[in-house]
Amino acid sequence: PEAVALVRAFVAAGKAAGAICHGPWLLAEADALRGRRATCWPSIRTDLRNAGAILVDEPVVSDGRIVTAVGPQDSAAFADALLAAA
């Protein structure tokens, strides 16, 4: 619950938030992905769609200040995108 509250507070304050691999589950739980473009590890795509995300088949996706990435192999590009969103 504390992590969900922290994500909600970050998003409400307009701060950058990022998640890689299975991390977007937390963004979904915080209702931070509804109507936003996102990507994630393939096994959780249905969950993100059900949470209202617009799934994009790209290694890294930025939508406003929310950045998501597929997996560890995308960590360098994810870090660059997250810094750009901050």
Side-chain angles (χ1 to χ4, degrees):
E2 293 85 7
V4 173
L6 179 66
V7 170
R8 285 187 181 141
F10 262 58
V11 173
K15 296 182 182 211
I20 190 168
C21 197
H22 289 72
W25 259 336
L26 180 56
L27 294 171
E29 186 67 25
D31 199 30
L33 294 178
R34 188 172 311 280
R36 293 183 184 263
R37 297 171 64 246
T39 193
C40 61
W41 196 255
S43 63
I44 68 168
R45 287 183 180 182
T46 298
D47 292 335
L48 266 59
R49 267 192 222 97
N50 289 340
I54 302 162
L55 266 284
V56 179
D57 189 19
E58 295 176 13
V60 178
V61 175
S62 295
D63 188 320
R65 295 195 127 184
I66 294 181
V67 180
T68 53
V70 173
Q73 69 280 3
D74 307 307
S75 58
F78 172 72
D80 290 342
L82 193 53
L83 286 171

